[in-house]
Amino acid sequence: MFKTRWVRNAAIFGTAVTLSLACYSTGSDSAVAASFCQETEMAGLSLSLDKYYAENFANEDTDTTDDTTEEDTDTTEDQTEETSDTTEEDTKEDDTEDKETKRKEETVAKQFRDLGISTASDYVNIRSKPTTESKIRGKLYRGAAAKIIGEKDGWVKIESGSVRGFIRKDLLAIGEDAEKLAGKFGTAYAYVKSGVVTLNVRSKKSTESTIVTQIPEDERYEIIGESDNWYRIIIDDDQKGYVAKEFVKTRVKFDHAISIQEEKAEIRRKKAAQKAEQERLAALAAEQASSSSSSSSSSSSSSSSSSSSSSSSSSSSSSSHKSSSSSSSSSSSSSSSSSSGSSSVSSGSGSSIASYACKFVGNPYVWGGSSLTNGTDCSGFTMSVYAQFGYSLPHSSAAQASCGKSVSFSNLQPGDLIFYRNGSRIGHVALYIGNGNVVHASNKKDGIKISNYRYRQPACARRIIG
């Protein structure tokens, strides 16, 4: 009976979370340096640990009839055969549950035996030797995890990310203590299984509910909820939905240590982004000033010509009339340009705009924001990038989808805007940078990042330049 229940639970829970593989991953995501100390509440992680246990032991024989003594099932002679059978069954089940519980505890303990999670208020230094006087190789921020590979005199030797060194043992949660913090600092991700070309993301936990978008194989999405046969995932901050467990695999990840070199590189990146923004704004101001000066000079020349023509012959007057008509036509053209969503002074190619946008990868996502350095949402990001090249776009992805001109996905060029639907409406925008990729302000966890432009089903594309 108990075996049957474990098999049923394993089928419901789906793919198990493999913590030991996830905790020590050394991948170099572009936004890791900017989010290494971020804390994420992950409800349901303890359930994921249960799933790990179910995955590994659900298929084992849990029948312990031979271990149950005859004395355990003896009954008094005046009891009926039915009562005796019930008692024997209950006793066996209780004994099985006790053994399963013990085995589960041992399995979970093993998972965290070699895992350390930083409990420092901010970060703990990783040193080259087990002394406070030795060289600092990196930092393990609060909630980040490390693999423990040795222990000596109150210090542990760890490996995390690209850093290997020593940390004071009292600044790490290890074993059961690490297990208690796993739900707070671990982030669970769903990966679309290979072979699942396109997976429907639904508005509710039902195959009858609306499909809000579709996602491709091998992409990963943060899990923010779990129930029955479904995971609730976040795609972008403006798009969440449900995916069936049978089509995804899961993995829990922790932030890892950051080396001194990586920390310095991140500081340089942020400074370079701020400098790029300041220089671009200065260049735009210069262009606008130059355009204004040129316009003023042209106006002055026209006025002088008009004054001269008033004392000329009738042929000169005719010439003046033609000049006036030309000026009127130019003004009309400028007005038309402004109404299409561009300012009167614009510059830069699509490639230069795409290259500029990539300088802000790693910066934060802030709903309603429009600062490239301090935080922006998706439409605020594209609006601000284009604004610094003299183009005026509205702060709305749906409104931006009406700007410029339509372009097919087979004819995309760097600088084009790609739009995505939330159900039936446009709800997200990204900037195409070439080679099948986009840069966009995605969500609070990832911030501004680079993705494959088909990381979710695209709806349409618009070209702002040309």
Side-chain angles (χ1 to χ4, degrees):
M1 178 184 295
F2 193 79
K3 175 181 178 181
T4 303
R5 185 161 65 253
W6 267 117
V7 172
R8 184 174 67 252
N9 287 343
I12 292 174
F13 293 151
T15 309
V17 177
T18 308
L19 286 171
S20 57
L21 294 177
C23 297
Y24 317 132
S25 115
T26 57
S28 55
D29 290 5
S30 60
V32 166
S35 61
F36 53 80
C37 61
Q38 197 168 18
E39 297 181 7
T40 303
E41 293 289 346
M42 180 56 211
L45 184 58
S46 59
L47 182 59
S48 296
L49 297 176
D50 289 343
K51 288 189 296 176
Y52 173 80
Y53 176 73
E55 167 87 359
N56 285 274
F57 298 104
N59 295 324
E60 290 191 5
D61 186 359
T62 59
D63 186 359
T64 58
T65 303
D66 294 338
D67 296 332
T68 305
T69 64
E70 183 178 348
E71 181 180 356
D72 291 334
T73 58
D74 281 344
T75 60
T76 59
E77 293 181 1
D78 59 339
Q79 287 180 309
T80 66
E81 184 177 348
E82 180 180 355
T83 304
S84 177
D85 291 342
T86 301
T87 303
E88 181 178 355
E89 183 179 343
D90 291 343
T91 303
K92 289 177 181 178
E93 185 170 336
D94 289 343
D95 188 51
T96 302
E97 287 181 352
D98 289 342
K99 290 187 176 183
E100 291 295 339
T101 299
K102 182 178 180 181
R103 185 182 297 171
K104 175 182 173 182
E105 290 174 350
E106 290 174 350
T107 302
V108 172
K110 184 177 180 180
Q111 279 296 107
F112 290 92
R113 188 178 301 156
D114 299 327
L115 174 70
I117 297 178
S118 172
T119 57
S121 59
D122 187 8
Y123 65 85
V124 54
N125 288 322
I126 303 171
R127 297 184 179 273
S128 59
K129 297 179 180 179
T131 67
T132 54
E133 290 76 29
S134 61
K135 182 180 179 181
I136 298 174
R137 289 183 172 176
K139 297 176 180 179
L140 192 69
Y141 279 79
R142 178 175 175 80
K147 179 181 180 181
I148 297 173
I149 55 180
E151 182 176 345
K152 180 180 180 180
D153 300 330
W155 291 75
V156 288
K157 189 174 184 180
I158 63 94
E159 187 175 66
S160 179
S162 64
V163 189
R164 177 183 282 229
F166 294 87
I167 288 178
R168 280 172 42 196
K169 186 177 180 180
D170 62 315
L171 294 175
L172 292 177
I174 302 172
E176 292 182 2
D177 293 333
E179 179 190 350
K180 294 175 183 177
L181 294 177
K184 181 176 183 179
F185 296 115
T187 301
Y189 290 95
Y191 294 74
V192 181
K193 288 181 178 179
S194 296
V196 181
V197 178
T198 304
L199 178 60
N200 293 328
V201 181
R202 298 189 177 269
S203 59
K204 297 180 180 179
K205 297 175 287 184
S206 169
T207 54
E208 305 301 319
S209 63
T210 304
I211 297 174
V212 294
T213 191
Q214 293 178 315
I215 53 180
E217 64 178 321
D218 295 331
E219 287 285 339
R220 82 172 194 182
Y221 306 89
E222 183 182 351
I223 297 173
I224 57 176
E226 175 183 14
S227 61
D228 302 326
N229 297 320
W230 300 85
Y231 287 121
R232 189 169 189 241
I233 63 171
I234 179 170
I235 301 174
D236 294 308
D237 207 64
D238 49 17
Q239 181 62 79
K240 304 174 182 67
Y242 294 89
V243 292
K245 288 182 178 180
E246 62 182 299
F247 299 115
V248 300
K249 54 188 177 181
T250 58
R251 181 172 296 175
V252 175
K253 287 193 173 184
F254 293 86
D255 290 330
H256 55 64
I258 180 171
S259 68
I260 297 301
Q261 292 77 12
E262 289 169 334
E263 185 175 55
K264 289 179 178 178
E266 174 63 9
I267 292 173
R268 289 195 298 269
R269 184 201 66 77
K270 288 182 176 180
K271 287 183 177 179
Q274 292 174 343
K275 182 179 180 182
E277 185 175 31
Q278 293 169 355
E279 290 178 344
R280 185 59 233 170
L281 288 173
L284 179 63
E287 291 168 5
Q288 291 174 334
S290 176
S291 175
S292 177
S293 176
S294 176
S295 177
S296 176
S297 176
S298 176
S299 176
S300 176
S301 175
S302 176
S303 176
S304 176
S305 176
S306 177
S307 176
S308 175
S309 66
S310 64
S311 59
S312 319
S313 63
S314 60
S315 62
S316 295
S317 178
S318 176
S319 176
S320 175
H321 176 70
K322 291 179 181 180
S323 176
S324 177
S325 295
S326 175
S327 177
S328 176
S329 175
S330 175
S331 176
S332 176
S333 174
S334 176
S335 176
S336 175
S337 174
S338 179
S339 66
S340 69
S342 301
S343 64
S344 57
V345 179
S346 57
S347 64
S349 65
S351 294
S352 62
I353 289 176
S355 177
Y356 177 74
C358 289
K359 295 180 183 295
F360 304 98
V361 169
N363 284 351
Y365 175 99
V366 174
W367 188 86
S370 59
S371 170
L372 297 176
T373 51
N374 297 322
T376 179
D377 59 16
C378 66
S379 60
F381 176 67
T382 51
M383 177 188 75
S384 295
V385 167
Y386 265 97
Q388 296 190 19
F389 287 83
Y391 294 86
S392 177
L393 298 177
H395 194 168
S396 162
S397 57
Q400 288 182 15
S402 298
C403 297
K405 63 182 181 181
S406 178
V407 59
S408 67
F409 294 124
S410 61
N411 192 34
L412 290 172
Q413 294 180 6
D416 291 344
L417 298 183
I418 298 180
F419 298 87
Y420 304 84
R421 286 194 180 94
N422 292 352
S424 60
R425 64 182 180 83
I426 296 296
H428 191 72
V429 59
L431 195 150
Y432 188 69
I433 60 175
N435 298 318
N437 295 320
V438 293
V439 59
H440 59 133
S442 178
N443 56 60
K444 293 177 183 177
K445 179 68 176 176
D446 298 332
I448 298 173
K449 68 176 185 179
I450 293 175
S451 304
N452 183 291
Y453 87 96
R454 292 190 180 275
Y455 77 101
R456 59 188 283 196
Q457 187 178 41
C460 63
R462 307 290 292 186
R463 183 162 296 157
I464 305 302
I465 298 177

